[in-house]
Amino acid sequence: MQVMNRNVSKSAMGRKSRAAGARFELAVRKYLEANGWITDKWTKNVDLYKMEIVPTRRKFVPGRGFMGIGTGFPDFIAFKPVVGEKKDEFQVYKVIGVESKMNGILDKIEKEKCFFLLERGVFKNILIAKRGEKKGSIEFIDYATGEERDIF
């Protein structure tokens, strides 16, 4: 938990937190790719009112003048070929959704979105990436079981 410094404004703390989150998300992506996963930003989101998957809207970043695309849930789709598995001349892949959370805790809306994606079979597994106890380490928690999981 971050201690509020009286000399630092809330907006400055927010900028630092967003930057730290972006760095962690990049570290998760690099870790997955180093372990043989092919990753891409997931550019879809769940509309809980319509109960459907919708394309994400690009987000305008004030002060910077550009459109950001990091608004999908989960953060990444990752896939990896299953060695030796082929069906009707097609390669079989394991596909997972990965959400990066430095503390490993999802809010209520994110939990509802995970439930929706798993229930509809969009992903068989959604893994929550969080900081490990050792500096620089990353741990993965399977959302469905709540257990720590190996990504291999």
Side-chain angles (χ1 to χ4, degrees):
M1 186 166 163
Q2 193 173 17
V3 177
M4 186 170 162
N5 184 347
R6 294 182 193 268
N7 298 329
V8 179
S9 70
K10 287 191 176 196
S11 63
M13 283 176 52
R15 274 194 302 276
K16 288 181 180 181
S17 293
R18 280 190 302 278
R23 285 191 304 272
F24 179 68
E25 192 174 297
L26 181 61
V28 169
R29 186 174 192 160
K30 286 182 177 182
Y31 182 81
L32 288 167
E33 289 173 351
N35 286 290
W37 291 89
I38 300 164
T39 62
D40 196 19
K41 284 294 277 180
W42 180 248
T43 58
K44 304 284 185 194
N45 207 335
V46 177
D47 185 330
L48 293 172
Y49 295 109
K50 295 179 182 176
M51 296 305 281
E52 65 183 18
I53 297 173
V54 296
T56 56
R57 295 184 177 169
R58 292 188 179 263
K59 187 164 113 180
F60 180 71
V61 179
R64 302 264 176 131
F66 69 89
M67 303 294 275
I69 57 172
T71 58
F73 185 87
D75 293 324
F76 301 113
I77 182 172
F79 53 99
K80 180 184 224 181
V82 178
V83 179
E85 287 266 344
K86 287 198 175 189
K87 287 199 175 191
D88 299 327
E89 302 297 319
F90 291 102
Q91 177 66 49
V92 176
Y93 287 85
K94 178 174 178 96
V95 179
I96 59 173
V98 179
E99 176 65 16
S100 302
K101 288 288 189 185
M102 288 181 24
N103 61 5
I105 300 170
L106 298 178
D107 64 29
K108 181 181 177 185
I109 293 172
E110 291 170 329
K111 289 177 183 178
E112 289 177 23
K113 289 178 180 182
C114 282
F115 180 76
F116 176 89
L117 293 168
L118 291 169
E119 183 182 62
R120 301 285 190 298
V122 176
F123 296 108
K124 184 176 180 189
N125 301 98
I126 296 178
L127 302 182
I128 312 303
K130 71 174 199 164
R131 284 188 295 194
E133 299 210 6
K134 289 174 59 180
K135 185 172 179 151
S137 67
I138 299 171
E139 296 175 356
F140 292 89
I141 299 169
D142 190 328
Y143 172 78
T145 63
E147 296 176 5
E148 193 169 321
R149 174 136 181 210
D150 193 9
I151 62 164
F152 305 106

